Amino acid sequence: MAKHWADFQYEIYLQGMTGSVPRLPTDLTRLEELTEQRLGPGPVGYVAGSAGNGSTAAANRAALDRRRIVPRVLRDVQQRDLSVEVLGRSLPAPLALAPVGVLSIMHPEAESAAARAAAAQGVPYILSSASSTPMEEVAGAMGDGERWFQLYWAKDREVTASFLARAEAAGYTALFVTLDTPLLGWRPRDLDRAYLPFLHGVGTANYFSDPAFRAGLAKPVHEDPQAAVRHFVGMFADPAKTWPDLAFLRENWDGPIVLKGVLHPDDARRAAEAGVDGVVVSNHGGRQVAGSVAAADALPRVVEAAGDRLTVLFDSGIRTGDDIFKALALGARSVLVGRPYAYGLGLDGQAGVEHVIRCLLAEFDLTLALSGHSRPTTPSADDLTEDAR
C-alpha cells in the first residue's frame, strides 16, 4: 500500500495530546518572515532577494494564485499513490529539492543537512555547483538517496569535464544544466550590502577541491585564497555558450541531461532537437531577469512544444501543496522547491528541511484527494480555472 503523506497531519494532532506542537509553522509561507527575524540580513537577503524590484518573483506567485482549483466530488480517493517516474527513476512523490548554493550561510551543516533530509524522506536532492560542501561529502551524507547534480557551465572545459566525472563517480544520476545565469542578475538586496559570498570563498567548495581547477593556480588555495577566488570569478560562467556547445556535455555525461531555465517554447523545441532528456521551466525564482514572464504562465506553452520528447519539470514560486497540484495540472511531471527548504534549514537544520518536505507533500496529498484525484498524473488544465487579471 502506498504511503499517505497526508497522515502527517494526524501525527501532529496526536503529538498535540502530549502538549507538543510543531517547532516550525505548517503554513510554509510564514517561513521567510521567521528567517528574516532570526538570521542576519546578508544571508537572508541572498536567499530571499530577487532581481530588480522583485517583479518577477511577485509575478511567479501571482500566476499560481490566479489559477484556482475546481474540485470534483464522489470519486474514490481512499487509496492514493503519489509516486511518479522522472528521468527513468521511480520517486515517491513529484517533488525534488532544487539546487540552492552557498547553504552554509543558512546553517553550519549546509548542503549535507539538506541532502540527509531529502534522503530521509525519499525525495531527490539536486546539489548546486556553488555548494559550500564538496559533492563527494554531500553524496556520503545521503547514502543511497537519489541525487542529481546541477552544473554552472564554466568557461574552463577541463573543470567542467572534471565536475562531471566527479559527480558521476559520486553517484549523481542526472545532470541539471542551469542556462539562465551566464551573468549574475541585478540583485539590489545583495548590492546594497555589497554581499556576495563567493568573494569570501563561500560556495566555492566544489571548485577549490577540484584537481582541474587547482591546476590553474600558481599556489595552493590555502596559501593564496584570494588568487583562488579571482580564478573562480574569472571562469565561473560563460556568456558565449550556444546550442552546439551541448555536444560537449553529452560527450562527458552518460545519464539524463536536463536544461534548467527554459521559458520559451522554441527553446524547448531546440532542447528536444539537441537530444537532451528534459527541461525545467524556471526563471531562477525571479533572481535573474526583472520583468520576466512568470514561470507558471510559460509552463503550458513549453509543455505543448515539448510533447512527449522531453520530461518537463517546474520551479519558481512553489510554496504550498496546492501550488504543486497546479503545476502538475499545467503539464509538469514534477516540481522543484527552493527557498522554503532553505528557510527550513536556516531555522532548524535537517529537521527543518524534513518539516518543509512533509508539509508540502501532506498538503499536496490532501489537495489531490479533496479535488477528486488519487494519482499525481491525472490533474489537467480542466481541473483549473483562471481569475481575470
Side-chain angles (χ1 to χ4, degrees):
M1 185 181 297
K3 175 179 181 177
H4 280 179
W5 293 89
D7 290 345
F8 183 40
Q9 69 169 337
Y10 302 116
E11 181 181 319
I12 292 172
Y13 287 134
L14 286 172
Q15 289 175 346
M17 300 291 288
T18 62
S20 175
V21 298
R23 288 166 57 89
L24 297 180
T26 55
D27 174 1
L28 300 181
T29 65
R30 293 177 53 203
L31 294 181
E32 181 174 341
E33 181 183 357
L34 273 179
T35 308
E36 295 261 13
Q37 295 168 3
R38 297 189 194 175
L39 271 68
V44 172
Y46 185 80
V47 174
S50 301
N53 64 357
S55 63
T56 302
N60 285 337
R61 285 304 319 155
L64 287 164
D65 289 340
R66 194 173 67 246
R67 292 171 167 88
R68 313 302 297 175
I69 298 167
V70 184
R72 302 295 302 274
V73 297
L74 289 177
R75 291 179 169 183
D76 184 356
V77 293
Q78 182 174 358
Q79 297 301 328
R80 300 177 304 284
D81 182 358
L82 267 56
S83 65
V84 291
E85 185 170 300
V86 177
L87 303 172
R89 317 297 287 191
S90 295
L91 307 178
L95 177 73
L97 298 193
V100 179
V102 296
L103 283 178
S104 62
I105 66 175
M106 300 301 285
H107 191 276
E109 295 183 20
E111 292 81 10
S112 293
R116 287 196 304 269
Q121 296 302 318
V123 302
Y125 178 69
I126 310 176
L127 179 71
S128 172
S129 282
S131 169
S132 313
T133 315
M135 63 182 85
E136 293 85 359
E137 188 175 326
V138 176
M142 64 186 306
D144 294 331
E146 184 69 34
R147 49 189 175 271
W148 302 334
F149 183 71
Q150 176 268 343
L151 178 71
Y152 279 121
W153 201 347
K155 286 181 182 177
D156 190 319
R157 289 166 69 94
E158 296 304 314
V159 171
T160 298
S162 181
F163 269 33
L164 299 184
R166 289 172 61 195
E168 197 163 348
Y172 295 84
T173 58
L175 180 67
F176 283 64
V177 187
T178 295
L179 298 180
D180 56 20
T181 316
L183 302 164
L184 282 183
W186 184 257
R187 302 174 185 172
R189 286 188 70 167
D190 298 335
L191 289 163
D192 290 351
R193 294 189 171 275
Y195 183 84
L196 188 62
F198 305 114
L199 299 185
H200 302 279
V202 179
T204 57
N206 283 320
Y207 298 85
F208 288 5
S209 62
D210 190 82
F213 179 89
R214 293 200 303 257
L217 301 176
K219 296 180 180 178
V221 174
H222 69 276
E223 289 186 15
D224 194 347
Q226 284 307 305
V229 167
R230 288 193 296 272
H231 186 50
F232 164 81
V233 170
M235 51 79 68
F236 171 70
D238 184 3
K241 289 283 194 297
T242 60
W243 288 97
D245 292 309
L246 287 171
F248 176 79
L249 298 182
R250 180 51 77 197
E251 290 166 9
N252 287 274
W253 183 263
D254 291 332
I257 295 176
V258 180
L259 304 184
K260 185 173 182 288
V262 171
L263 296 166
H264 197 289
D266 286 349
D267 285 342
R269 294 184 187 97
R270 290 291 298 270
E273 290 162 6
V276 302
D277 302 274
V279 294
V280 183
V281 175
S282 167
N283 54 32
H284 215 101
R287 291 167 60 77
Q288 281 300 98
V289 179
S292 166
V293 61
D297 285 337
L299 178 58
R301 294 177 67 206
V302 170
V303 168
E304 183 181 10
D308 59 3
R309 298 181 294 172
L310 296 169
T311 296
V312 178
L313 298 93
F314 176 84
D315 85 2
S316 297
I318 295 292
R319 297 291 180 272
T320 64
D322 58 283
D323 290 340
I324 299 175
F325 182 100
K326 293 172 185 178
L328 299 183
L330 292 172
R333 181 78 60 86
S334 181
V335 306
L336 315 182
V337 64
R339 287 185 178 98
Y341 90 76
Y343 300 143
L345 176 69
L347 293 167
D348 201 19
Q350 176 182 340
V353 180
E354 289 197 53
H355 175 83
V356 168
I357 295 169
R358 296 187 75 189
C359 285
L360 275 173
L361 291 179
E363 188 178 17
F364 171 60
D365 189 5
L366 288 164
T367 302
L368 194 73
L370 293 170
S371 301
H373 297 269
S374 58
R375 293 297 308 272
T377 52
T378 58
S380 71
D382 292 339
D383 295 293
L384 302 178
T385 188
E386 195 167 341
D387 292 345
R389 294 181 186 235

